[in-house]
Amino acid sequence: MTTIHNLGFPRIGAKRELKFALESYWKGESTRDALKDLGAQLRKRHWDNQAGLDFVPVGDFAFYDQMLDMSFTLGNLPERVRGFHGDTLDNYFRVARGRSAQGAEDHGTCCGGVAAGEMTKWFDTNYHYIVPEFTAATEFKLDTTRLLEQLAEAKAQGVKAKPVIIGPITYLAQGKAKDDLYKLALLPRLLPVYAQLLDALAAQGVEWVQIDEPILVTELDTDWQNAFKAAYEQLKNSRVKLLLATYFGQLLENRALAASLPVAGLHVDAINGRDDVLPLIDLLSADKVLSLGVINGRNIWKTDLTAVLDWIEPLAKRLGERLWVAPSCSLLHVPVDLNSEQKLDAEIKSWLAYAIQKLDELRVLGKALRSGRDSVKAELAENKAALAARRASPRVNNPAVQAAIAKIDAGLGKRDNTYALRAKKQAALLKLPAYPTTTIGSFPQTAEIRHARSEFKAGRLDNASYKTAMQAEIERSVREQETLGLDVLVHGEAERNDMVEYFGEQLQGYAFSQFGWVQSYGSRCVKPPILFGDISRPQAMTVEWSTYAQSLTKKPMKGMLTGPVTMLNWSFVRDDQPRSVSCKQLALAIREEVLDLEKAGVHVIQIDEAALREGLPLRKSQWQEYLDWAVESFRITANGVEDETQIHTHMCYSEFNDIIASIADMDADVITIETSRSDMELLDAFDNFNYPNEIGPGVYDIHSPNIPTQEHMVQLMKKAAERVPAERLWVNPDCGLKTRQWAEVLPALNNMVAAAKTLRQSA
Ligand code: GLN
Ligand code: ZN
């Protein structure tokens, strides 16, 4: 009989209860006990949601992050948080969020400032974990409190518990050495603690432990491959059975390694790694369980249950009891409950499944495998009908868009002339000084702006009044920019709630949910728009705002758009066509907007690609393929304009070393990037590549409330000029200013403009 199980459940709550409880606790408005109670309630509810599964994850709940939980379990706390008094939870939030020296201590009992642990993306998801820190002196010490408490709760509730932990190799691989430590040198110290942990779980009567090693879907060098063998050889004598879980990609060349590890079972992502499955079955010894992740844990679409059954029924015959079935990865990366959605279009809703619905699908699969398809006839028929309706829906299929995609040729993404020639024409038109100054787009989103928007959305403010309010904000930011003496102005993005949602709402083929929240980090969630159909642009999206802004000033006004790659990477996307196709559809739609802006007299147009880098596949060997279609999409969007029109792009990061050729290939006239915190050293990538076009390396760290001084920004630009010829440099902040206050922005930009003037004099 096939076993069905789950790898992890979203902990934030269907109505983001955990978010609100955390934030209230951090503000000192509620007690630690109230927070702990809420955690227990959520765990209880989520285990109820998973009733009927043969194994339910325990330990997947975290107040902030599962990696941070693991660091605490392993006793690996950064030196700087040791020796504090108070509760473990206080220390936990100290590492998670840091604490300022002056700031009032909300809940703890003492002292000075503590820097937060670094945060980074969990593989290719939009979830961010707290990076474990290691030094040559790192020692580990087991703390089972959290896990055993949750296990006891689960047992009391009658849950068939399968504790979940991060495996030792992934834990080391995803951490950071703070000195010249070679991380694998810590393995001999780490493994005994894992062995103790498994013993402690065995002592509680645990049968299976899920040990997550997603690092197996990435390229591993020999040392790391050997570390896998050594580690699991050492853990094999434990009294629990280990289910080694991999997810997010394909095992490929790591198949044999994964299959050879002395564990009781292996879970693979059969959505991304379907090709791994048959070879693995041949490689696995006959006593091992194979768990197939056949329900996509990364998207919000219904599973084609009949297709899955067609595929796995023969495997179930072959494997018998050894076959387990599950979602592809933890459901942490999908929203909780589709039934919360009250406003979502009913047709689109009928195509979707959130975490709870995905578990329903899992139960149907389980029943079909055990008792035959007839036992779930109605469910399968309903599922089939929903999928057929989606496939046939005219809202998904737009023949005009498909025809336009088929007609894309290389000429579409190519400008008429080279940068060198364009730059001359642009200089003649724009007449900018040396070291021209600009900003990245948004100005502070004030309480008044947010209030006007919520009133407008609630229908309490009419269209005309909302427009007047936004125009007043645009006028305010134009006046401020003129007073500051900036060279290329922006309208300030007052009318935008979010750089993706704003465009998605105006494009056909996008839908928006009310409760489609996914945890991004800590208490923060994102609600990605749902790209469900062929993308088209019924009408211009930004032209009115941009031309209004231009009418207020003689200085050049920069049009402001979000690029196709960023739209794609920050949305839930279709599973019925390649990402590259959806991206090109977005490119064609935004291209129309670029051309309309140009026609309306906007001569500088910025196309933000903040998320281009995050779309890189987990394996380097697949990078180029992604970069090729991503860059092509950008080029289609941007490069239909005349020589005189200056195209800007913006990216909020500074690691360009490994993708610089593709960035250059985009052929934007100007790229603005984030560099202020890196002391301009990251411009070396541009220098070494002889990057040919203009660059605006950010000189103002907009993430900090500090006001950068003129001298500091002059120094940064001088360093930049050692790497990029001065005539190709711009002066600008790192990113948009929407999260800052005007009181911070004005003095900072004033200093920035003064810095540019100083640089011009010394040039
Ligand atoms: N134009 C956007 C802004 O200024 C860019 C934001 C971003 O890169 N994340 O807010
Ligand atoms: Zn940015």
Side-chain angles (χ1 to χ4, degrees), residues 4-17:
I4 56 171
H5 72 118
N6 187 26
L7 276 66
F9 194 86
R11 54 227 176 197
I12 202 75
K15 299 277 158 67
R16 288 181 295 159
E17 293 89 331

Side-chain angles (χ1 to χ4, degrees), residues 440 610 650-652 734-736:
I440 305 305
H650 164 70
M651 297 182 190
C652 349
D734 270 344
C735 192

Side-chain angles (χ1 to χ4, degrees), residues 612-722:
L612 188 127
R613 199 188 157 87
E614 21 183 282
L616 285 170
L618 288 173
R619 285 170 182 274
K620 276 216 162 182
S621 59
Q622 294 164 358
W623 279 21
Q624 200 53 48
E625 192 214 336
Y626 162 78
L627 286 167
D628 285 348
W629 61 253
V631 169
E632 189 193 352
S633 299
F634 179 87
R635 290 174 59 112
I636 290 168
T637 304
N639 289 353
V641 295
E642 302 292 327
D643 287 347
E644 285 77 7
T645 300
Q646 187 172 67
I647 295 289
H648 289 223
T649 189
H650 164 70
M651 297 182 190
C652 349
Y653 42 81
S654 44
E655 300 164 60
F656 288 99
N657 260 317
D658 37 15
I659 58 170
I660 186 70
S662 299
I663 299 296
D665 208 23
M666 288 164 64
D667 200 19
D669 297 298
V670 183
I671 181 171
T672 54
I673 56 176
E674 175 176 320
T675 29
S676 70
R677 277 178 295 184
S678 78
D679 216 25
M680 297 291 153
E681 272 161 28
L682 292 154
L683 277 181
D684 287 346
F686 290 82
D687 184 11
N688 297 335
F689 187 78
N690 285 321
Y691 182 81
N693 304 6
E694 290 159 57
I695 309 176
V699 288
Y700 161 15
D701 175 9
I702 60 94
H703 301 288
S704 152
N706 299 339
I707 314 292
T709 64
Q710 177 186 338
E711 295 72 40
H712 180 64
M713 290 188 274
V714 168
Q715 282 318 311
L716 285 176
M717 287 307 299
K718 285 193 170 154
K719 286 188 183 152
E722 288 164 13

